[in-house]
């Protein structure tokens, strides 16, 4: 699993990207282990690798005036505008 650490260090990828790739590898080797029991030992070794903790950042939302402006944009006189208005209705 050194390649995952190198992947994070050389490419400058975030820990979340590394965790996604590790999850994909675990899933793939789980499948391989189910298809060929000889590969189950490799799967068990990969299961020992732990995910790196990710610090989640606070999500900033739109201001109320910006949201109101966005929801007023669809033109209900056109077909596409009517469709967009239909999808925006739950937010109004």
């Amino acid at each position: 699993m050194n390649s995952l650490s190198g992947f994070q260090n050389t490419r400058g990828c975030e820990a979340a990207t590394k965790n996604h790739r590790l999850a994909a590898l675990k899933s793939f080797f789980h499948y391989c282990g189910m298809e060929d029991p000889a590969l189950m030992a490799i799967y068990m070794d990969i299961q020992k690798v732990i995910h790196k903790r990710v610090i989640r950042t606070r999500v900033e939302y739109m201001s109320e005036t910006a949201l109101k402006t966005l929801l007023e944009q669809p033109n209900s006189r056109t077909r596409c505008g009517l469709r967009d208005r239909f999808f925006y209705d739950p937010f109004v």
Side-chain angles (χ1 to χ4, degrees):
M1 291 296 117
N2 289 337
S3 62
L4 285 176
S5 296
F7 171 74
Q8 186 177 0
N9 295 335
T10 57
R11 289 191 179 180
C13 295
E14 297 291 326
T17 304
K18 177 184 170 184
N19 289 341
H20 288 297
R21 297 223 176 182
L22 180 58
L25 283 172
K26 286 181 176 183
S27 178
F28 174 71
F29 278 102
H30 178 260
Y31 169 77
C32 291
M34 291 302 199
E35 291 295 314
D36 184 4
L39 298 174
M40 190 57 79
I42 296 172
Y43 168 69
M44 297 304 285
D45 286 340
I46 291 176
Q47 281 299 105
K48 294 176 186 175
V49 178
I50 58 174
H51 289 272
K52 190 167 183 177
R53 292 187 71 93
V54 177
I55 299 171
R56 297 180 188 251
T57 57
R58 181 182 165 97
V59 177
E60 297 293 329
Y61 296 98
M62 298 174 104
S63 68
E64 190 173 327
T65 55
L67 184 61
K68 186 176 180 181
T69 303
L70 180 69
L71 294 175
E72 290 173 352
Q73 289 303 309
N75 181 2
S76 58
R77 293 188 179 127
T78 65
R79 185 175 174 197
C80 290
L82 192 58
R83 177 205 59 203
D84 293 344
R85 186 69 111 179
F86 172 78
F87 287 117
Y88 285 174
D89 263 349
F91 302 111
V92 177

